[in-house]
Amino acid sequence: MFNKKKKEEEPIIENNQTEQEIVDVQTEGTEAAPVEPVIELSPEEKLKQENSELNDKYLRLFAEFDNYKRRTQKERVELLQTAGKDVVVSLLPVLDDFERALKATENATEVSAIREGIMLVQTKLKSILNQKGLKEMESLNTVFNTDIHEAITKIPAPSDDLKGKVVDELEKGYTLNDKVIRFAKVVVGS
């Protein structure tokens, strides 16, 4: 009985068929898909595999972040090196004006013309700096404020209404885009 089943399962071979033709006839109509062996992993092996995947992901993320830090640091250095470039370029005409004024003083006999030329250069310089956001602080006769003033000394106030106010300004204070960049050095009335 065992032999009968085996005979029924074997393909019938004709005299002129080759072995390859027999295999082709047997697989005809069916598409062969590659079969990968399914290997069951133990829980420990699954955890090790998961751990190695997470570790690899972490290392890639760390390397990516390190590259990002280096790139932003390089960009920051480049920005700091070129940050003042536009201000310097805009001040070059003022420098040229000062050189022309110095040449004019060599042969000039009239002081008022030289003074007028220097005032024009100063006005041009102030205009350029104002365009860049620089503003002078007004301190005279204002209430002393430690946020914008630096008291050099106190003197007796000439009148009662000047007590606690700025009597004299030794050095002007400046703000750049509404942020104090130099405190005004002042004399306060007491």
Side-chain angles (χ1 to χ4, degrees), residues 57-190:
K57 187 177 179 181
Y58 165 75
L59 289 174
R60 289 179 190 276
L61 187 63
F62 183 78
E64 199 173 304
F65 181 69
D66 196 40
N67 289 339
Y68 167 76
K69 282 193 330 186
R70 275 192 235 125
R71 186 176 57 248
T72 55
Q73 185 178 11
K74 181 181 175 186
E75 289 172 356
R76 194 176 313 133
V77 166
E78 288 175 0
L79 178 67
L80 288 174
Q81 288 175 344
T82 59
K85 179 183 176 185
D86 61 330
V87 175
V88 171
V89 169
S90 63
L91 291 177
L92 289 177
V94 176
L95 185 62
D96 295 337
D97 289 346
F98 272 119
E99 288 177 5
R100 283 191 285 273
L102 283 173
K103 283 183 183 177
T105 59
E106 292 173 1
N107 301 331
T109 56
E110 194 174 328
V111 176
S112 64
I114 293 173
R115 179 173 168 74
E116 186 178 328
I118 291 174
M119 287 175 62
L120 287 173
V121 173
Q122 181 189 22
T123 305
K124 187 175 187 178
L125 177 63
K126 282 184 177 182
S127 168
I128 290 171
L129 292 174
N130 283 337
Q131 290 173 0
K132 300 298 178 186
L134 186 74
K135 292 180 184 169
E136 291 181 5
M137 288 185 222
E138 292 297 324
S139 297
L140 283 176
N141 299 326
T142 62
V143 176
F144 177 73
N145 182 352
T146 57
D147 292 336
I148 59 173
H149 299 127
E150 182 180 336
I152 300 299
T153 187
K154 284 186 174 186
I155 61 167
S159 63
D160 287 339
D161 61 324
L162 289 178
K163 284 188 178 181
K165 291 187 176 182
V166 176
V167 178
D168 191 17
E169 184 178 52
L170 302 175
E171 196 173 83
K172 280 193 174 287
Y174 291 94
T175 60
L176 182 63
N177 299 322
D178 298 325
K179 184 177 179 184
V180 176
I181 60 170
R182 186 171 88 179
F183 295 98
K185 294 183 180 176
V186 295
V187 176
V188 181
S190 60

Side-chain angles (χ1 to χ4, degrees), residues 6-19 21-26:
K6 196 172 187 181
K7 283 185 180 179
E8 289 174 5
E9 292 175 4
E10 289 180 4
I12 302 170
I13 303 173
E14 295 180 9
N15 292 340
N16 56 0
Q17 281 185 326
T18 64
E19 285 183 21
E21 290 173 337
I22 295 169
V23 171
D24 290 344
V25 169
Q26 287 177 345

